[in-house]
Amino acid sequence: MARYVLLIGFFIMIGGFAYMLNLTNTGEYNPRDIPTEFIGRAAPAINVPDLYNESEIVKTSDMQGKVWLFNVWGTWCPECWREHQYLMELSRSGVPIVGLNWRDERPEAKAMITKMGNPFIKIGYDPDSSVAIDWGVYGAPETFVINAQGVVVEKHAGGVTPVVWESKFKKHFVN
Amino acid sequence: MNYLKTIMPVLFALLFVTQAHARFETHDFATEQMEEDYNVLVQELRCLVCQNQNLADSNAELAQDMRIRVYKMLSEGNSKEEIVDFMVLRYGDFVMYRPPVKSTTYILWFGPLLFFVVAALVVLSYMRKQKIETKAVVDETQQKKAHSLLDD
């Protein structure tokens, strides 16, 4: 009897292991993902100068009343290049996106935008992680959805793709 | 032996490689207490990029910026607890190298103990079974025989 219990326990463990491994391989589970603490809380301030216009301060409060995306990117991040075309598409279809250029040099960041297009309404320039830390960012790209009341309702670590849009973001833009 | 002589200086030089890499930014501290608090905090806070390192050990750029943030917050008069709360509010309990004991971390804290108890139970039941089996080998008649042999 005890032997059967042990055997069943062993198979449950193997099954669980295989299940998690499969989720990891298909990209549905990221063991390094850190769940955000911001869902349901007011979005933190941005308050850094714009990438193009140093005298203009990019602010969270500017977006009050709109559902918008806050996208953290850097020229050093290959996944950011990959998601860029899709951000362009979203922007063309009317989704307001505020960018945060993270840990970059101004000329390089501008060069990437010139080359690949600008999907952002505004781009905050954050070379020393001051905004990134305030938002609990730990990698790039990361994208937050903020609702009309200024509350963070969703966050995605990794590139934005049509699948991510359909499954996580779209529902917040319906009304 | 000859080739050992050639590579020895190289091996010796390698000793200093990590040191050259490990040079982080330096801070001036107003008080000794502040320096002590800083050192405790960077030991206790986790680097979110290389997740098996704390801020003190990590050379990741985010870890660097987080150390600077810790320094800034201390300079502005925040207490150790306030800084930990600030980080936990943003990165969750995971940012602490020693996570707090609470309902969501019970498995983390008591899991190993549970494993130990289960293992001990298995071993105990196995040992008991062994004992029963060895007992069964010698039946009553055999025992009597043995006793009579011993008595002689």
Side-chain angles (χ1 to χ4, degrees):
Chain A
M1 180 59 201
R3 192 174 294 168
Y4 283 118
V5 171
L6 274 180
L7 207 64
I8 289 167
F10 180 72
F11 280 121
I12 288 174
M13 265 176 64
I14 295 286
F17 183 75
Y19 178 71
M20 293 314 281
L21 196 68
N22 180 47
L23 283 187
T24 308
N25 286 342
T26 52
E28 279 176 50
Y29 171 72
N30 175 6
R32 293 170 57 83
D33 193 30
I34 302 163
T36 183
E37 301 290 311
F38 278 105
I39 303 299
R41 272 172 40 204
I46 299 174
N47 285 349
V48 282
D50 189 84
L51 176 67
Y52 286 96
N53 182 0
E54 286 183 50
S55 58
E56 193 196 324
I57 302 294
V58 179
K59 287 187 189 142
T60 306
S61 52
D62 293 343
M63 303 301 290
Q64 198 74 27
K66 285 183 199 154
V67 185
W68 53 289
L69 296 181
F70 182 56
N71 175 263
V72 181
W73 63 281
T75 57
W76 42 269
C77 141
E79 193 56 37
C80 303
W81 314 336
R82 253 169 253 140
E83 73 170 359
H84 203 87
Q85 282 318 312
Y86 189 61
L87 292 182
M88 291 296 292
E89 254 177 63
L90 286 178
S91 159
R92 270 186 229 114
S93 69
V95 175
I97 311 174
V98 174
L100 183 75
N101 175 253
W102 183 31
R103 270 200 152 273
D104 244 332
E105 304 283 339
R106 269 182 202 271
E108 283 174 25
K110 286 181 189 172
M112 178 171 152
I113 293 295
T114 308
K115 195 174 148 206
M116 302 180 74
N118 188 358
F120 306 112
I121 299 174
K122 286 170 187 170
I123 306 172
Y125 179 61
D126 186 25
D128 54 12
S129 306
S130 71
V131 181
I133 293 173
D134 277 345
W135 283 70
V137 169
Y138 65 95
E142 276 187 29
T143 306
F144 297 81
V145 182
I146 298 99
N147 73 9
Q149 288 75 45
V151 172
V152 177
V153 287
E154 191 67 79
K155 181 205 166 167
H156 177 73
V160 178
T161 60
V163 175
V164 172
W165 170 260
E166 285 294 326
S167 63
K168 292 175 91 173
F169 290 180
K170 196 180 169 185
K171 55 178 178 257
H172 302 295
F173 284 86
V174 174
N175 321 328
Chain B
M1 241 6 220
N2 242 349
Y3 97 104
L4 200 65
K5 237 182 214 169
T6 341
I7 63 163
M8 266 323 265
V10 179
L11 289 177
F12 187 70
L14 280 177
L15 283 176
F16 300 95
V17 169
T18 48
Q19 241 169 342
H21 274 286
R23 204 178 298 143
F24 290 147
E25 72 284 347
T26 50
H27 297 298
D28 295 319
F29 294 97
T31 62
E32 262 178 46
Q33 180 61 45
M34 209 175 118
E35 184 167 4
E36 205 175 285
D37 287 350
Y38 175 82
N39 287 327
V40 170
L41 282 168
V42 295
Q43 291 285 340
E44 291 208 341
L45 293 171
R46 183 187 298 274
C47 166
L48 285 313
V49 181
C50 17
Q51 299 182 350
N52 285 327
Q53 283 187 311
N54 57 20
L55 288 186
D57 291 335
S58 176
N59 209 5
E61 286 162 337
L62 179 60
Q64 201 175 311
D65 289 343
M66 282 173 77
R67 284 196 300 270
I68 294 170
R69 175 62 71 92
V70 167
Y71 173 74
K72 264 190 200 158
M73 289 182 75
L74 280 171
S75 310
E76 286 160 7
N78 290 287
S79 71
K80 256 192 319 191
E81 290 71 29
E82 279 167 339
I83 295 170
V84 169
D85 287 348
F86 172 90
M87 291 296 178
V88 169
L89 203 62
R90 281 155 183 80
Y91 292 104
D93 289 334
F94 188 72
V95 78
M96 282 187 287
Y97 232 89
R98 275 184 303 133
V101 183
K102 58 188 205 184
S103 59
T104 47
T105 58
Y106 280 163
I107 289 187
L108 191 67
W109 280 97
F110 304 115
L113 189 72
L114 191 76
F115 274 117
F116 176 77
V117 170
V118 169
L121 285 176
V122 169
V123 170
L124 274 177
S125 75
Y126 183 74
M127 278 165 63
R128 198 174 295 163
K129 221 192 210 166
Q130 285 280 50
K131 226 186 237 167
I132 293 167
E133 273 169 15
T134 45
K135 250 183 201 164
V137 171
V138 190
D139 62 24
E140 258 175 61
T141 50
Q142 279 173 317
Q143 236 169 7
K144 270 180 192 164
K145 217 175 180 182
H147 275 299
S148 62
L149 280 171
L150 283 170
D151 286 341
D152 289 340

